[in-house]
Amino acid sequence: MKQILACLLLLVFAASAAHAERRVALVIGNSGYEHVTKLTNPDNDAKGMAEKLASLDFEVVTGTDLSLRDMRKTVREFIAKLEGADLALFFYAGHGLQVNGENYLVPIDAELSSYVDLEFEAMPANLILNAMEHSTKVNLVFLDACRNNPLAENLARSMGTRSGSVGRGLAKIGSGVGSLISFATQPGNVALDGEGKNSPFTTALLKHLGTPGQDITRDLVMVRRDVLEATKGQQVPWDNSSLTGEVILKQLEMVQPAEPEKPAINPQIELAYWDSIKSAESIAYFETYLNRYPDGQFADIARIRIDELKIRGEAEAARNAKPDTSAEIAFWQSIQNATRPEMYETYLEQYPEGIYAKLARLKISSLEQQAEAAATAAAAAKAAKAAEAANPTPPAQETTVAALTVQETVSTAPPTEIAPSSSSRSLSPEELATAMQTELNRLGCSVGHVDGDWGNRSRQALRTFGKEAGVELASLDPDETILDRLKQSTGRVCPLTCGRNQELKNGKCIAVRQETPSKSNEKSTSSKTAQSSGACPADPTASSRRLVSFNYRQITAVATHPCGRQVVCNKPQSNVHPFKCFWK
């Protein structure tokens, strides 16, 4: 306990003594040379060093980009502060040169055109060093002035045969007792300016100078290491010291107790521990290893294994959170071919947002449309039979020989409308032609057989419609806009044209009454009529398949058989069974 108290008192005394010590520093940085290329770093080096020394309790006299006159004025101000100082420090960054073994510091306005200019345009370094050694017992000098100097080259050229006296870099300086002089590189060599904000030498000084509790010579050893590393061995800081004791620029403020040494790790025990857990599937094993061996041989692998197990756990949790759709899929497979809407409605009640919900609604809509079409077909067939029963075959003199269109034949049922052009499904070219042929026949503009083949007869019928309806047609080809216009028309638009031996009567083509033939002709006519009637086949369905055709919405069609009789054909709702025909 007594030893600890003694150490604390010693530290307090040392700190008090260091605090009472008077320190003075001169910092000069010349970058903006007027007659040669400007330097990049000296200005920054001087500012950084001034801040560093101020933090170490120095009274700092600072000058940057100084002419010879300003440099002399700044040095004089510094020398005036040396009286009574305990420690003096001088830092210079900029151009310097050696001539005949003497070192000179170059102000920014120097030209050095001849040897005579040297004494009038440059400042001898010994002027400052001698003043410091005369006034203070401990002196520290740092010269970052060994850069490649074009002014030295100018001076050497002007000196001719005496140019050998102009040396490379700075010359070695002998120091008095209690002084230390540190150069950015060894004597006779050139220092590098660096690529950063500060030169390599000044960067290392700012980092290590004033390390708490560390002697200045130890600081410079660390500076030398950093500069060697930064310049890849091209620059080696050099110093000349005649100090008689330690110079510690910053004392330790408190004693940090030494940390107890950690017990040495037995690598065999660690290896055995790792072998026992390396295949584990639980994060806890690897976390326990890291707690015991945070810097162990397998610490990086343990962290990677922890990350892998976390990712795997998150993926498994996501899979478990995903809903099971196997029951829904099985339900749908059991009803997907059903023909009753109730089956799909049951599915929607159970799975309103299910995988097949949209398809189920389409199925319901399709089945409802099929049921509606079947009901319409049944009603049309029933109406056709009722019309046949109510209208027996008229007398010969009133027989209508003009073939009627499908819509004119079944007058009791409204014509089936074709889907308008605003439908979500666009009609194919064949469907569009078929629909327009059907509508033209309905309006009395006959195109003949409805077959989807848009030929000259169809174009002629459309031209007649436009003329009779007062519609200007831009084209005679099928178009959904024209189809909509045809659907909007009602009644007969095109005039009825009767054939030979026919006359128009009450909107119908009636055969013209002929004179009564002789008996011989009557027998001949009777035999021909009987022969013609007898030529009609017994099965109207089989013999009429090539006579009639249906569009995609048509369920009833009427045609005139070659034997002379009209045949009516009905198409069932399902396309599986063929249509059936009967004689009218």
Side-chain angles (χ1 to χ4, degrees):
M1 185 66 181
K2 292 181 179 180
Q3 293 178 348
I4 296 175
L5 289 174
C7 291
L8 290 175
L9 290 174
L10 181 61
L11 289 173
V12 170
F13 176 76
S16 300
H19 183 71
E21 184 180 52
R22 183 167 176 263
R23 301 174 176 181
V24 180
L26 170 62
V27 177
I28 296 177
N30 287 336
S31 292
Y33 284 91
E34 298 175 0
H35 303 289
V36 292
T37 304
K38 295 182 179 180
L39 297 176
T40 304
N41 295 326
D43 188 17
N44 297 329
D45 295 340
K47 292 177 181 177
M49 186 58 68
E51 293 177 0
K52 178 72 174 183
L53 295 176
S55 68
L56 297 175
D57 299 326
F58 279 86
E59 297 177 38
V60 183
V61 177
T62 307
T64 57
D65 289 340
L66 301 178
S67 63
L68 179 61
R69 179 180 178 182
D70 292 336
M71 184 178 288
R72 290 180 180 275
K73 180 179 179 181
T74 304
V75 171
R76 181 175 295 179
E77 180 183 353
F78 167 67
I79 293 174
K81 291 181 178 290
L82 290 176
E83 188 67 29
D86 299 298
L87 175 62
L89 186 148
F90 172 46
F91 172 84
Y92 175 77
H95 277 313
L97 71 161
Q98 60 163 308
V99 179
N100 293 326
E102 293 291 330
N103 293 318
Y104 293 86
L105 308 180
V106 183
I108 63 171
D109 58 348
E111 292 188 42
L112 301 181
S113 299
S114 65
Y115 180 76
V116 176
D117 294 337
L118 186 65
E119 297 296 333
F120 294 95
E121 296 182 4
M123 173 173 285
N126 285 334
L127 176 66
I128 303 173
L129 301 181
N130 293 337
M132 292 172 64
E133 291 178 355
H134 179 75
S135 301
T136 54
K137 295 182 179 180
V138 180
N139 299 286
L140 305 177
V141 179
F142 301 95
L143 298 177
D144 194 358
C146 308
R147 296 168 172 82
N148 188 20
N149 189 351
L151 291 171
E153 297 176 2
N154 295 340
L155 183 61
R157 283 194 298 270
S158 68
M159 293 177 67
T161 57
R162 294 178 297 165
S163 62
S165 61
V166 180
R168 179 180 172 87
L170 293 181
K172 181 178 179 180
I173 301 177
S175 60
V177 178
S179 298
L180 181 146
I181 302 175
S182 178
F183 295 87
T185 187
Q186 62 267 40
N189 196 17
V190 176
L192 303 177
D193 205 28
E195 298 179 357
K197 179 180 179 182
N198 301 105
S199 71
F201 180 62
T202 302
T203 299
L205 281 177
L206 294 174
K207 179 179 179 181
H208 298 293
L209 200 65
T211 301
Q214 185 167 275
D215 180 56
I216 185 65
T217 56
R218 182 61 183 170
D219 291 346
L220 293 178
V221 170
M222 300 177 71
V223 167
R224 187 176 296 112
R225 290 178 181 176
D226 283 6
V227 173
L228 281 168
E229 181 179 355
T231 62
K232 296 180 174 55
Q234 299 181 42
Q235 179 177 333
V236 184
W238 176 86
D239 58 78
N240 182 23
S241 174
S242 60
L243 295 175
T244 58
E246 289 187 340
V247 177
I248 300 175
L249 297 180
K250 186 174 184 179
Q251 301 289 344
L252 285 173
E253 296 181 0
M254 59 180 298
V255 177
Q256 295 290 343
E259 296 183 0
E261 294 184 1
K262 296 181 180 179
I265 297 175
N266 189 327
Q268 295 182 350
I269 296 177
E270 180 187 359
L271 178 60
Y273 187 99
W274 175 258
D275 287 339
S276 67
I277 69 165
K278 64 182 180 181
S279 301
E281 297 295 326
S282 174
I283 295 177
Y285 287 99
F286 300 100
E287 290 177 341
T288 303
Y289 169 83
L290 290 175
N291 291 334
R292 181 172 296 185
Y293 304 103
D295 299 317
Q297 305 176 55
F298 310 100
D300 292 338
I301 301 177
R303 295 185 182 94
I304 293 174
R305 288 285 293 144
I306 290 174
D307 293 339
E308 289 178 350
L309 292 174
K310 285 182 178 179
I311 295 174
R312 189 184 305 172
E314 292 173 357
E316 185 176 353
R319 285 195 300 270
N320 294 335
K322 188 176 181 179
D324 185 9
T325 59
S326 56
E328 179 186 357
I329 294 173
F331 187 104
W332 176 258
Q333 290 175 347
S334 66
I335 68 166
Q336 61 182 349
N337 296 322
T339 57
R340 295 171 54 194
E342 295 83 359
M343 302 296 289
Y344 301 103
E345 290 173 352
T346 303
Y347 168 83
L348 290 174
E349 290 177 359
Q350 190 166 351
Y351 304 101
E353 303 296 333
I355 302 173
Y356 308 101
K358 185 175 181 180
L359 183 57
R361 294 184 180 93
L362 292 175
K363 286 273 190 179
I364 292 173
S365 177
S366 177
L367 290 173
E368 289 176 348
Q369 290 178 3
Q370 291 178 11
E372 182 181 352
T376 303
K382 184 176 180 181
K385 290 182 179 180
E388 182 181 3
N391 299 313
T393 304
Q397 64 272 18
E398 297 293 333
T399 301
T400 301
V401 298
L404 301 179
T405 61
V406 176
Q407 289 75 6
E408 291 172 339
T409 302
V410 187
S411 59
T412 58
T416 304
E417 293 185 359
I418 299 175
S421 60
S422 59
S423 172
S424 60
R425 184 182 74 87
S426 298
L427 298 178
S428 66
E430 184 177 357
E431 291 174 338
L432 181 59
T434 302
M436 290 185 62
Q437 287 175 338
T438 303
E439 292 298 323
L440 287 169
N441 279 344
R442 179 179 66 82
L443 298 174
C445 305
S446 176
V447 298
H449 183 54
V450 177
D451 54 5
D453 183 9
W454 192 260
N456 292 331
R457 185 168 181 181
S458 299
R459 290 186 175 86
Q460 182 60 39
L462 181 59
R463 183 183 292 109
T464 304
F465 166 79
K467 179 180 179 181
E468 296 296 334
V471 178
E472 293 185 3
L473 301 174
S475 173
L476 297 178
D477 293 327
D479 183 88
E480 293 190 6
T481 304
I482 300 176
L483 176 60
D484 290 340
R485 182 64 179 86
L486 293 173
K487 290 180 179 180
Q488 295 171 5
S489 301
T490 58
R492 175 181 289 276
V493 175
C494 298
L496 181 61
T497 303
C498 298
R500 290 182 60 187
N501 299 325
Q502 295 178 353
E503 63 179 356
L504 183 62
K505 185 176 182 180
N506 296 329
K508 295 182 180 180
C509 289
I510 305 299
V512 179
R513 186 183 301 273
Q514 303 291 331
E515 295 181 358
T516 303
S518 61
K519 290 183 178 181
S520 59
N521 291 337
E522 192 173 289
K523 288 182 180 180
S524 175
T525 302
S526 298
S527 63
K528 288 181 180 180
T529 303
Q531 183 180 0
S532 176
S533 299
C536 293
D539 185 1
T541 300
S543 61
S544 301
R545 288 181 179 174
R546 296 186 179 181
L547 298 178
V548 296
S549 62
F550 300 86
N551 59 29
Y552 72 102
R553 296 288 298 272
Q554 192 174 355
I555 59 174
T556 302
V558 178
T560 302
H561 195 274
C563 71
R565 298 185 64 183
Q566 287 188 328
V567 62
V568 180
C569 298
N570 293 327
K571 181 178 72 172
Q573 184 64 28
S574 175
N575 291 327
V576 177
H577 303 287
F579 58 83
K580 294 183 178 181
C581 302
F582 55 91
W583 297 112
K584 184 174 179 181

